[in-house]
Amino acid sequence: MKLAVVGGGSTYTPELIDGFARLRDTLPIEELVLVDPAADRLELVGGLARRIFAKQGHPGRIVTTADLDAGVADADAVLLQLRVGGQAARNQDETWPLECGCIGQETTGAGGLAKALRTVPVVLDIAERVRRTNPDAWIIDFTNPVGIVTRALLQAGHKAVGLCNVAIGFQRKFARLLDVTPDQVHLDHVGLNHLTWELGVRLGGPDGENVLPRLLAKHGGTIAGDLRMPRAIVDRLGVVPSYYLRYFYAHDEVVRELGTKPSRAAEVAAMEKELLAIYGDPALDEKPALLAKRGGAFYSEAAVDLASSLLGSGGSPVQVVNTYNRGTLPFLPDDAVIEVQARVDGTGATPLAVPELDPLYAGLIANVTAYENLALDAALRGGRGRVFKALLAHPLIGQFEYAEALTDKLIAHNREHLAWA
């Protein structure tokens, strides 16, 4: 089995490598190719990756290359974890929207749109090159904004599934609080990427007992604290929103906070510099503790689970993924990409039925889906008018004065990445 990781020079990669090494019986990789144009980073990450494999006795071969076509040739699956423009572009995404009093964030709002515009054309080019070498290869997208990128891939006819680590993070957290193993926890996880709610927490499987009320009664304060939301709000909702919902539920408060501290991109850039220095230690043969602060917790386990199910080597039969709606949420088009529990096998992902959604959640999902439609159109066809429409449609913006100003700022800060600008 051959897997390729595009963006393999990421500081995230040792987390992925650790999962591949530990779970090698689930996903028996013979060749793993790390693809990245940044040769200096790739050499450091690749060296650590080989040492991790060696320490844990993994027999697979790790190859590093800057040649995308060679790297993905004959791969059974290709995992995308790239960041077009790097942390510098992310820093801009997180700062210039604040000048208009709007959220500065890399996956939602104006910053999220900028990332989509930079990313979608690049990902589609990569996917076409994968298809030329192996049309049967699966593409697993971890590149944000996952919902928009996954829809672009599926719409272009690629065998693609989107992946996020939010759900597996909640699963692991709830398992600890309930003192059970993670495989006993099934989430009624519903929404769009980075716009989800846990409507239920079931023990034993999709039809198991819903213990969410008991969980909130006993541990509501801990859960709300992790979300940085008031306990009273979580209790009133009776569900657990993703921490990304704070951008919607406490927009003005978050804008004020973001204006008083360095951007997350600046923090991550400093952390990456330190991580790369650590990775260069030839004695290091495990992922360092600092990596836990980088983000992406449990990403490797989710990736292994998904890849092994798609490639028929094992994996959980039910996983949270990003895939076509296909009538699951009746108020959305069939070709909208949603994030829900799905049955995953060699044919792809089939969403499980979900409970009827309260209008409080369905309304916001429908609104953001409309924005994502417009965002994808802007990413595929370009043009100031399409960018403006997408910004105007976003519920975190929604005013023409802001949309006009943000359109100009977005184009000015991303001109080098926009072929039409």
Side-chain angles (χ1 to χ4, degrees):
M1 179 186 296
K2 176 180 176 179
L3 266 65
V5 179
V6 179
S10 168
T11 53
Y12 267 135
T13 299
E15 163 72 22
L16 185 65
I17 299 299
D18 177 73
F20 286 159
R22 287 185 293 104
L23 303 170
R24 57 185 175 275
D25 292 338
T26 303
L27 190 66
I29 299 171
E30 296 167 294
E31 182 178 356
L32 176 64
V33 184
L34 305 181
V35 184
D36 203 295
D40 52 344
R41 293 169 62 104
L42 188 59
E43 181 179 355
L44 293 172
V45 172
L48 175 57
R50 293 187 186 97
R51 295 193 296 274
I52 291 173
F53 263 31
K55 180 182 182 181
Q56 299 197 30
H58 195 298
R61 184 167 71 107
I62 295 179
V63 177
T64 58
T65 181
D67 186 333
L68 175 65
D69 293 318
V72 302
D74 301 320
D76 297 288
V78 177
L79 197 151
L80 305 180
Q81 58 172 32
L82 59 149
R83 181 183 297 280
V84 180
Q87 293 298 332
R90 177 182 180 176
N91 184 65
Q92 292 182 351
D93 294 343
E94 294 176 341
T95 51
W96 54 260
L98 295 173
E99 298 170 9
C100 296
C102 294
I103 289 288
Q105 212 278 330
E106 66 158 340
T107 64
T108 192
L113 177 60
K115 193 172 196 302
L117 297 181
R118 293 192 304 268
T119 304
V120 166
V122 174
V123 165
L124 289 179
D125 176 66
I126 293 169
E128 285 299 329
R129 292 159 78 171
V130 171
R131 181 153 54 188
R132 286 200 298 268
T133 66
N134 184 3
D136 293 326
W138 280 101
I139 295 176
I140 297 173
D141 178 57
F142 196 69
T143 296
N144 283 319
V146 168
I148 295 172
V149 173
T150 302
R151 184 169 182 185
L153 288 165
L154 290 172
Q155 188 172 285
H158 297 289
K159 294 175 61 177
V161 181
L163 181 64
C164 181
N165 70 323
V166 167
I168 195 172
F170 274 130
Q171 182 200 42
R172 298 306 199 263
K173 181 181 302 181
F174 296 157
R176 288 195 302 272
L177 294 175
L178 293 165
D179 195 24
V180 299
T181 58
D183 61 355
Q184 293 178 273
V185 177
H186 176 94
L187 302 177
D188 290 341
H189 179 101
V190 181
L192 310 176
N193 180 241
H194 290 184
L195 193 85
T196 53
W197 297 262
E198 309 308 327
L199 305 183
V201 178
R202 301 183 183 277
L203 292 182
D207 300 317
E209 176 193 4
N210 181 14
V211 298
L212 180 57
R214 184 190 348 149
L215 191 63
L216 288 176
K218 187 174 181 179
H219 301 288
T222 297
I223 293 169
D226 289 344
L227 298 172
R228 299 185 64 202
M229 294 184 190
R231 165 78 183 265
I233 295 299
V234 176
D235 285 343
R236 188 182 306 176
L237 292 175
V239 304
V240 180
S242 160
Y243 44 86
Y244 287 94
L245 265 298
R246 188 167 181 262
Y247 297 121
F248 295 81
Y249 293 163
H251 176 276
D252 293 353
E253 177 184 348
V254 174
V255 168
R256 288 193 294 270
E257 287 178 4
L258 293 174
T260 63
K261 60 182 183 180
S263 69
R264 173 62 178 165
E267 295 175 356
V268 170
M271 199 179 305
E272 286 192 336
K273 185 176 181 180
E274 186 175 354
L275 281 169
L276 290 170
I278 293 172
Y279 293 171
D281 179 357
L284 182 69
D285 56 8
E286 61 185 10
K287 63 178 184 179
L290 179 62
L291 188 56
K293 297 181 180 180
R294 172 66 178 82
F298 309 114
Y299 153 51
S300 63
E301 295 175 35
V304 168
D305 209 13
L306 179 54
S308 59
S309 292
L310 293 172
L311 299 176
S313 65
S316 305
V318 175
Q319 301 171 38
V320 173
V321 298
N322 285 259
T323 191
Y324 272 150
N325 177 42
R326 299 191 188 98
T328 307
L329 300 180
F331 54 89
L332 296 184
D334 285 350
D335 64 351
V337 166
I338 60 174
E339 186 172 289
V340 294
Q341 292 276 9
R343 296 201 179 278
V344 182
D345 58 25
T347 66
T350 303
L352 300 183
V354 302
E356 182 178 356
L357 289 187
D358 187 297
L360 177 63
Y361 315 125
L364 186 54
I365 290 171
N367 192 337
V368 174
T369 297
Y371 151 75
E372 290 189 347
N373 291 344
L374 294 167
L376 181 54
D377 186 45
L380 293 174
R381 297 200 289 162
R384 186 185 188 282
R386 293 186 182 92
V387 173
F388 170 79
K389 286 172 66 175
L391 290 168
L392 187 62
H394 201 294
L396 294 180
I397 300 167
Q399 298 182 52
F400 69 83
E401 182 179 358
Y402 291 163
E404 287 281 11
L406 289 168
T407 297
D408 291 337
K409 291 179 183 295
L410 185 155
I411 294 172
H413 284 282
N414 290 275
R415 197 174 298 277
E416 65 181 293
H417 300 290
L418 305 177
W420 51 268

